[in-house]
Amino acid sequence: MSFYGETGTRKASRTSGLAIAGLVCGIVGLFFLPIILGPLAVVFGAVALRQTGSAMAKWDIGLGVVDIVLMIVMFVVAANNGGTFTWHVG
């Protein structure tokens, strides 16, 4: 009897649910509610990075930081425009 390889075994995935949740929060936070979703992306990414060390967790942290920076920029622009933030196209 010869064995050509292991059958029935599956390689464990290194992507965690927290990393996926952080990535979703980071991407959606670019467009909606960056004040909430940005910090959530950073927290989810940090926990996932500690658990798995995956590259997706690093992207979560990066996107969360970008969300937070964009939120700060929007607040500064709104403060300089008399408390309103308007975007004129055209």
Side-chain angles (χ1 to χ4, degrees):
M1 203 165 167
S2 62
F3 296 105
Y4 293 105
E6 294 182 23
T7 59
T9 60
R10 206 169 111 184
K11 197 174 194 180
S13 174
R14 292 191 54 129
T15 304
S16 71
L18 285 174
I20 294 170
L23 191 64
V24 169
C25 286
I27 292 171
V28 174
L30 291 172
F31 304 103
F32 304 107
L33 295 173
I35 194 167
I36 297 169
L37 296 177
L40 277 177
V42 172
V43 170
F44 289 158
V47 173
L49 185 64
R50 189 172 287 190
Q51 289 178 353
T52 64
S54 67
M56 188 183 294
K58 294 175 185 174
W59 276 97
D60 299 345
I61 295 170
L63 281 171
V65 169
V66 168
D67 288 347
I68 293 169
V69 168
L70 285 176
M71 177 189 63
I72 291 170
V73 168
M74 285 191 312
F75 283 157
V76 168
V77 168
N80 287 333
N81 288 332
T84 61
F85 182 75
T86 59
W87 192 311
H88 298 285
V89 177

